[in-house]
Amino acid sequence: MKNLRLIQKLILCIALLALAGCAVSFKKEKWDLPPKAADEISVMSFNVENLFDTVKTPGHNDETYMPLSAKNADPKLREACVKNNDSSYRRGECLSTDWSEEALNKKLANVAKVILGVDGKGPDALMIMEIESDVVLHKLNTEYLKEAGYITEVIIDGPDKRGINLAFLSRFPVVGKPILHPIPWKPKEEKDREWMERSRRILEVTVKAPNGDPITFMAAHFPSQANPTYWRQQIATFATDLIKSKGPDAMVIFGGDLNITHEEENSYHIFRDIFQQGGAVSHFVGCKECPGTHNYRKSWSFLDAHVYSKALLADGKGSYQMLPNTIDVIRYDDVHLSKGKYPKRWDYDKMEGVADHFPLYVRLKQRSEAKNPVKEEAPTKPAVKETKKTKGKK
């Protein structure tokens, strides 16, 4: 009887842990995937958390991420810190943060260490969230990711007032013109319209795979949990329709920081009921030993996720197939680990750490010759997409 009570208590504890968001450590302690084969493509998404350059960008409320010496010398920057931040904490952070060239270079080095630790020289395609400008993207690529050999750089300035943007790097050449898709928001209250329209959009980039076929990547960074669930439901529906609009045979990977917590998913089933209409959801089909990509108060969630179009699945018609057993959360490098299991975010005082999200990884395997080969060749040098807001920066 005593043993029975102990067993019952153990079962109850396990159930409570599951409801609390799997607040347990990762089983995996190191990178254990086999080397990437010659006929495989690797893909990763990574929220690099506030990767800003160190200069004032017109149109961006980026004063927090500037050198303290510049803010101390310019009253207008200090005034902007007060004007553009709606809480005393944020205002204080803006006035006190020293985002110097030294700090930026250290963070870039740490971000690059995580990226290059994947497959020995980084993934073949990388979707990036929370990066400000073409300036910092180009610096990351050309100074810190040289070994990766990325020939494609894409970033398009969006409507986010802080300057939080999406970017894409790849060893494969671009096909056609990248697009930053506006979201057809439908506010429940008119007062929400302006804020919804300031939200981040979806970056679409198509590249030419090694076998000659096109593969489309869609990077996203959904509105945060500070915003209502219906915002994320609307952009999820638009994203799913966007994936499906490419046709049943199109190879598409949609992914990024979708800001859907496990509690929200349990209540509203955004992944299950919306995204699964467009394809397979990463943590539904793989990463079975992964608690999540983000931890908040010891509660794990897959804030970062991928959706793989039906053409990439085992019964799909694409020339590449997604390998579910390769879906993984990248968290093996000490530079990005706190207490051996949590994401180690950047510490401004100690100038160490990386970001508050772990990257999400997957591989695609070629299963046939090209079925829809790209005819035109794209430029082989980095294609940095500038906008009027980032041109002419000093």
Side-chain angles (χ1 to χ4, degrees), residues 141 150-154 168-170 172-174 205 207 381-383:
N141 186 30
Y150 293 135
I151 63 170
T152 292
E153 290 178 20
V154 179
F168 178 78
L169 294 173
S170 181
F172 310 137
V174 173
V205 186
V207 299
K381 62 181 181 179

Side-chain angles (χ1 to χ4, degrees), residues 315-361:
D315 57 352
K317 296 181 179 179
S319 60
Y320 283 85
Q321 179 181 341
M322 182 272 295
L323 303 176
N325 64 322
T326 66
I327 300 172
D328 211 348
V329 172
I330 307 302
R331 41 83 63 192
Y332 309 121
D333 200 310
D334 289 342
V335 73
H336 200 187
L337 281 181
S338 174
K339 298 181 180 179
K341 57 184 176 180
Y342 303 119
K344 187 175 184 178
R345 66 189 309 178
W346 176 257
D347 186 308
Y348 294 95
D349 295 323
K350 296 179 180 179
M351 287 200 290
E352 62 182 31
V354 182
D356 58 347
H357 291 244
F358 286 136
L360 185 64
Y361 174 94

Side-chain angles (χ1 to χ4, degrees), residues 104-174:
L104 172 59
N105 289 335
K106 180 62 176 176
K107 172 150 182 171
L108 287 172
N110 288 359
V111 168
K113 188 174 182 181
V114 174
I115 294 169
L116 295 174
V118 173
D119 296 331
K121 60 175 183 177
D124 295 307
L126 176 63
M127 296 180 282
I128 303 174
M129 294 82 231
E130 289 204 23
I131 187 166
E132 184 192 12
S133 66
D134 51 345
V135 173
V136 72
L137 177 65
H138 193 60
K139 184 179 179 71
L140 171 65
N141 186 30
T142 58
E143 297 182 28
Y144 292 88
L145 295 176
K146 285 183 180 180
E147 296 173 48
Y150 293 135
I151 63 170
T152 292
E153 290 178 20
V154 179
I155 184 168
I156 302 175
D157 201 33
D160 184 277
K161 289 294 184 181
R162 287 181 58 218
I164 295 293
N165 285 309
L166 301 155
F168 178 78
L169 294 173
S170 181
R171 296 188 183 96
F172 310 137
V174 173

Side-chain angles (χ1 to χ4, degrees), residues 56 63 66 70-71 74-82 94:
K56 178 63 184 171
E63 297 80 18
M66 294 184 66
K71 287 182 276 194
D74 190 343
K76 290 183 178 179
L77 291 177
R78 296 198 301 276
E79 289 172 11
C81 279
V82 175
C94 183

Side-chain angles (χ1 to χ4, degrees), residues 4 19 40 43-44 57 64 66-67 83 102-103 127 129 132 171 233 243 247 264 272 280 301 327 349 354 360 384:
L4 178 61
L19 289 172
E40 292 178 345
V43 178
M44 191 165 85
T57 302
T64 298
M66 294 184 66
K83 178 182 177 182
E102 180 186 5
M127 296 180 282
M129 294 82 231
E132 184 192 12
R171 296 188 183 96
Q233 290 173 320
I243 296 168
E264 187 169 65
R272 189 194 72 184
S301 292
I327 300 172
D349 295 323
V354 182
L360 185 64
V384 180

